[in-house]
Amino acid sequence: MRQFSLLTIFLMTTFCFAQKNEVYESQVWVADQGDGTYKNPIIHADYSDPDVTRAGNDYYMTASSFNAAPGLPILHSKDMVNWELINYALPLQVPVEHFNIPQHGNGVWAPSIRYHNNEFYIYWGDPDFGIYMVKTKDPAGAWEDPVLVMKAKGAIDPCPLWDEDEKAYLSVAWAGSRAGVKSILTMFKLSPDGTKVLDLGRHVFDGHEDHPTVEGTKMYKRNDYYYIFAPAGGVATGWQLILRSKNIYGPYEEKVVLEQGKTSVNGPHQGAWVETPQGEDWFYHFQDVDAYGRIVHLQPMDWRKDWPVMGKDNDGNGIGEPVMMHKKPKVGKTYTVETPKETDEFNGNGLGVQWQWNANPNILWHAKLPGKDYLRLFSMATPKEAKNLWEVPNLLLQKFPAPNFTVDTKITLIPEDAKQPRKAGLIVMGRDYATVTITQKEEVFYLQQTQAINADRGAEEITNEEIKLKDNQVFIKVEVVAPDAMCQFTYSENGKKFKKIGKPFKARVGKWIGAKVGLFSISTPEAKRGGYADVDYFRITK
């Protein structure tokens, strides 16, 4: 475990975790309307399965990160609407060796974050290994090494609850793909320190008849009732279910409290109940919007007869529907508009916190040195078994930030060895992907627009268009347009006049995640060493 701790320290430095920069305001999506109201989604990015906890006047959010590293993003807010991405609780996915190669769709599923005894705890399920926990006293600083709380195949979506009698419990759902059964919820006794499950568990709810695919448990206690907030009905088509009982093991009453209804917000569920110091109640949930991922909404919430009421009941059926605009939560003062960072000028001491790799990172993949206003990506040999970039670990990626946006970057390729081709470029990544790639052939530089349709099934990457460049640097853009996330690549050799290249490309989801956009620098499997690409900036604008 000591080795993991040293790597944690290194990665915290490399990614500038918890480094307080100037307030960042997106050019492409801002929820705060500046007049005391907000619009949904409050974050138009793939923070899947969000959970939120409050500590005093501060709010902290985490979300699923699946195979991406670092994992378990930590976002901070003072007013519940404006959020800053400040850190990651999991610098390396564990088991480390397993996640050193891309593990699409695996890794961190549906975490829960809780503030207990002046410490922050995050529990998550890895469907192949079991339930893990990390904790810290400072969410913007280093988190302790992960603890395997329960070894189990298919156990997912855990949530702890510490009761008044010092007893602790852990609710768990099950992934049918690994466990062989789903749509049931199980309660386990948990050690008071939160580090291990103490019994074999008891099932407390079966959703097969009325609430198929019930999962995503979040536990609370209020007015002597134990509550399990649980989504049901599927990611893109489901509803928010509430279970309550005065006995932790049930029997549980049930009530659907949030549904799509006649709104455009499909599958509104799986999130967090948060109570403000001023006594207001709010509910965070996600909406699945295909290539854009699972985006985060905030709903007003109230209590009636000890049942939560969310959103607005537009049709009078007793079930709330999501609102798209609302007054901001009352938190005692007005805070500056802020959004998770997107643009990176590469003029700091490390990578911006918005970046994640396609697998656990290696220190040799990049260099971001103090005083250098560019990012250097080394030309790493692709794995011999990789059929395309889907299986390449050193892809540097970030989430789609809005329905419509443009990415602008400048890349210079330094091959060092003309006999072994090097490639670097801009990529839109998902189960299908497309790139604009700068490469060299016999000391001549070319620009290629490529794509791989069904990359996740091993499809070959093909070149749609290739042009000869005057030298080894190029300006590249991709414009992404709603509603279908259509992407058009353009390029320029002088940074002023841009031309279209290749074909329009429709971005496609990854495995359980939205599409991503980012950078890569590679060489052939046969290349022994040498070569790199320098990236001057990576800007996201309208």
Side-chain angles (χ1 to χ4, degrees), residues 29-47:
W29 190 266
V30 176
D32 192 327
Q33 299 299 283
D35 59 1
T37 68
Y38 70 91
K39 68 177 180 180
N40 273 317
I42 57 161
I43 304 175
H44 203 300
D46 187 31
Y47 288 98

Side-chain angles (χ1 to χ4, degrees), residues 165-452:
D165 58 6
E166 302 303 319
K167 292 181 180 179
Y169 302 90
L170 190 73
S171 60
V172 168
W174 300 91
S177 59
R178 273 74 161 190
V181 65
K182 63 175 185 176
S183 301
I184 53 174
L185 305 180
T186 309
M187 193 71 63
F188 293 89
K189 291 181 180 178
L190 184 67
S191 61
D193 65 0
T195 62
K196 59 184 177 181
V197 161
L198 301 177
D199 67 356
L200 298 177
R202 291 168 60 179
H203 297 317
V204 296
F205 186 76
D206 185 343
H208 280 87
E209 285 80 11
D210 300 318
H211 303 287
T213 318
V214 64
E215 54 189 358
T217 64
K218 299 292 182 289
M219 293 180 65
Y220 308 96
K221 193 173 184 181
R222 178 185 182 273
N223 289 353
D224 294 325
Y225 279 107
Y226 296 94
Y227 290 90
I228 301 176
F229 286 39
V235 169
T237 55
W239 51 88
Q240 182 62 42
L241 175 68
I242 304 296
L243 308 174
R244 76 175 188 184
S245 174
K246 291 195 173 182
N247 187 311
I248 191 76
Y249 294 109
Y252 279 88
E253 303 173 82
E254 62 185 70
K255 184 177 176 64
V256 175
V257 299
L258 188 68
E259 64 181 1
Q260 178 174 352
K262 295 182 179 179
T263 74
S264 62
V265 183
N266 58 297
H269 58 40
Q270 187 147 337
W273 165 39
V274 180
E275 186 177 17
T276 71
Q278 291 75 21
E280 288 187 343
D281 298 284
W282 297 85
F283 181 69
Y284 290 90
H285 67 89
F286 73 72
Q287 174 195 5
D288 186 291
V289 282
D290 198 49
Y292 295 99
R294 301 176 189 179
I295 59 180
V296 184
H297 289 242
L298 177 62
Q299 300 299 330
M301 177 175 150
D302 202 354
W303 290 89
R304 297 177 192 168
K305 297 181 180 179
D306 288 319
W307 288 106
V309 179
M310 300 173 182
K312 185 178 180 181
D313 184 3
N314 294 312
D315 55 12
N317 70 345
I319 302 174
E321 298 175 11
V323 300
M324 297 307 295
M325 299 278 292
H326 201 272
K327 289 182 179 180
K328 292 172 60 178
K330 295 178 181 178
V331 294
K333 62 181 293 188
T334 301
Y335 290 91
T336 303
V337 172
E338 186 167 21
T339 60
K341 192 176 180 184
E342 301 151 356
T343 289
D344 199 338
E345 297 291 343
F346 302 124
N347 53 15
N349 292 332
L351 287 170
V353 73
Q354 68 268 37
W355 294 106
Q356 294 174 291
W357 298 96
N358 205 32
N360 280 337
N362 185 315
I363 191 173
L364 300 177
W365 291 350
H366 82 287
K368 182 65 199 76
L369 301 178
K372 303 293 185 181
D373 58 354
Y374 57 83
L375 169 67
R376 179 158 291 175
L377 293 173
F378 294 105
S379 306
M380 305 307 299
T382 57
K384 291 182 178 181
E385 65 276 10
K387 297 179 179 63
N388 53 50
L389 293 179
W390 177 262
E391 299 173 272
V392 170
N394 58 308
L395 307 182
L396 186 63
L397 306 170
Q398 61 173 282
K399 306 172 191 301
F400 275 23
N404 302 288
F405 63 96
T406 298
V407 175
D408 184 4
T409 189
K410 178 186 176 185
I411 302 175
T412 304
L413 181 66
I414 299 90
E416 289 191 331
D417 180 1
K419 294 180 181 179
Q420 293 290 345
R422 267 67 179 176
K423 296 182 177 182
L426 176 67
I427 184 169
V428 174
M429 187 66 190
R431 291 178 185 258
D432 303 336
Y433 72 76
T435 83
V436 172
T437 298
I438 180 172
T439 187
Q440 101 286 359
K441 303 175 186 177
E442 298 179 353
E443 300 186 5
V444 177
F445 290 91
Y446 293 85
L447 194 66
Q448 302 170 333
Q449 195 278 301
T450 76
Q451 68 181 36

Side-chain angles (χ1 to χ4, degrees), residues 473-517:
Q473 73 174 25
V474 66
F475 300 81
I476 306 170
K477 291 185 180 182
V478 62
E479 182 181 10
V480 181
V481 179
D484 297 323
M486 291 301 300
C487 306
Q488 178 63 63
F489 292 97
T490 58
Y491 77 98
S492 172
E493 294 192 73
N494 60 14
K496 297 177 182 178
K497 185 178 180 180
F498 283 79
K499 302 176 182 178
K500 291 182 180 180
I501 184 171
K503 298 179 179 179
F505 169 76
K506 183 177 180 180
R508 187 181 172 201
V509 296
K511 193 168 183 181
W512 308 128
I513 64 174
K516 291 187 174 184
V517 62

